[in-house]
Amino acid sequence: MPEPIVQIKDLVVQYGARTILNGVNLDIHKGESLAILGKSGCGKSTLLRHTIGLSRPASGQVLIKGHDIATLDEDSRIEVLKKAGMLFQSAALFNSMTIGDNVALALREHTELEESTINIMTNIKLDLVGLSGFHDFRPAQLSGGMKKRAGLARALAMDPEILFCDEPSAGLDPVVSAGIDNLIVSLKKAFKMTIVIVTHEMASVEIIADRIAMMHEGRVLAVGTMDELKSLGNPIVDQFFNREPDAEEEDPRAYLSSITGSA
């Protein structure tokens, strides 16, 4: 495997007395597409937020290209993260701005490029995601899939080496979801990016991922290709891949009785 571009070492995250991530270790290799899988509440999105420096851990390290982003000063952290793009689950566009201004925001904030050059680069990114001609539209005028594409264009604005995606297919119909997934794959090949995607959609994983990191109760349970994980014989991994419900979910009435003592 190529050298790790992201290294997560013994990462611990706590919210009050509750431990959300409990000693996570994970290497993400340059040029790969890694999917982070797991049931709701297992810590996937929390891991992503700490990987991109939005929150600081209780302990442990997140190294991006060898730099521990939790210990860097603000200016140094921003410099490292300029080469990391983020596609948020809700697209997180600024409703008061046009789509073009949303995409151009990072270029205006972090470069000294002429406005004419920024406009050219913005239009190129919009064209890449299939939104040519939508520069002057507002987010409220776009469909859910188009918003995701606009969010992706913004994530690509600074030509990132790493693209992080939080549930890129969430809330979209299967056809639109497949279009977003295939777009991410095409962009990865074109720009030779490293892709990190948090998702629970197996269809997206099959299209995008080279490797999978399966999380469970705040830890990385297993890492490998889909075939490797399926061959482990791990009951938690098998339950997820086979879409098997938890025991208490098979009969909600029986579960309710067990916790209330009612008949």
Side-chain angles (χ1 to χ4, degrees), residues 222-262:
V223 182
T225 65
M226 185 172 291
D227 288 341
E228 288 170 344
L229 294 191
K230 286 181 176 179
S231 68
L232 289 177
N234 185 294
I236 296 171
V237 175
D238 292 344
Q239 179 191 32
F240 192 90
F241 284 164
N242 297 330
R243 300 185 67 195
E244 297 171 354
D246 288 328
E248 62 266 24
E249 293 175 350
E250 293 178 1
D251 187 349
R253 291 172 299 178
Y255 174 63
L256 183 62
S257 295
S258 71
I259 61 174
T260 61
S262 60

Side-chain angles (χ1 to χ4, degrees), residues 45 48 86-90 164-168 196-198:
S45 293
L48 191 63
M86 177 68 196
L87 173 58
F88 293 94
Q89 182 174 339
S90 60
F164 295 97
C165 304
D166 188 8
E167 299 283 7
V196 182
I197 173 175
V198 164

Side-chain angles (χ1 to χ4, degrees), residues 105-145:
L105 182 61
L107 295 169
R108 290 172 177 151
E109 290 287 327
H110 299 299
T111 74
E112 297 181 359
L113 295 171
E114 297 287 340
E115 188 63 22
S116 58
T117 302
I118 289 175
N119 285 332
I120 291 170
M121 294 178 68
T122 298
N123 287 327
I124 289 172
K125 295 303 189 295
L126 287 172
D127 186 53
L128 282 172
V129 301
L131 290 180
S132 179
F134 287 87
H135 186 285
D136 294 325
F137 280 59
R138 302 276 177 171
Q141 296 174 291
L142 304 185
S143 67

Side-chain angles (χ1 to χ4, degrees), residues 89 144-145 148 167-173 177 201:
Q89 182 174 339
K148 286 289 179 75
E167 299 283 7
S169 301
L172 303 178
D173 67 61
S177 294
E201 300 284 352

Side-chain angles (χ1 to χ4, degrees), residues 27-197:
D27 284 350
I28 301 167
H29 298 283
K30 186 175 182 179
E32 77 168 332
S33 296
L34 179 81
I36 301 175
L37 283 183
K39 295 190 294 185
S40 296
C42 71
K44 304 186 300 295
S45 293
T46 298
L47 176 59
L48 191 63
R49 284 198 302 274
H50 285 76
T51 302
I52 63 174
L54 290 181
S55 302
R56 293 184 183 273
S59 62
Q61 294 179 296
V62 175
L63 305 175
I64 296 181
K65 301 184 72 173
H67 301 281
D68 186 351
I69 60 170
T71 61
L72 292 174
D73 61 64
E74 186 67 12
D75 289 342
S76 299
R77 186 176 66 85
I78 290 172
E79 198 62 33
V80 170
L81 292 175
K82 281 181 182 179
K83 287 300 181 180
M86 177 68 196
L87 173 58
F88 293 94
Q89 182 174 339
S90 60
L93 300 171
F94 292 101
N95 291 323
S96 61
M97 295 182 177
T98 65
I99 298 304
D101 286 338
N102 268 277
V103 176
L105 182 61
L107 295 169
R108 290 172 177 151
E109 290 287 327
H110 299 299
T111 74
E112 297 181 359
L113 295 171
E114 297 287 340
E115 188 63 22
S116 58
T117 302
I118 289 175
N119 285 332
I120 291 170
M121 294 178 68
T122 298
N123 287 327
I124 289 172
K125 295 303 189 295
L126 287 172
D127 186 53
L128 282 172
V129 301
L131 290 180
S132 179
F134 287 87
H135 186 285
D136 294 325
F137 280 59
R138 302 276 177 171
Q141 296 174 291
L142 304 185
S143 67
M146 293 169 75
K147 289 178 183 177
K148 286 289 179 75
R149 288 174 178 266
L152 185 54
R154 185 179 62 185
L156 297 171
M158 297 284 289
D159 297 322
E161 296 178 38
I162 314 168
L163 177 63
F164 295 97
C165 304
D166 188 8
E167 299 283 7
S169 301
L172 303 178
D173 67 61
V175 174
V176 176
S177 294
I180 295 293
D181 294 339
N182 284 305
L183 176 59
I184 290 171
V185 171
S186 298
L187 292 170
K188 174 185 179 291
K189 291 178 180 178
F191 295 100
K192 304 187 187 307
M193 293 183 294
T194 302
I195 305 288
V196 182
I197 173 175

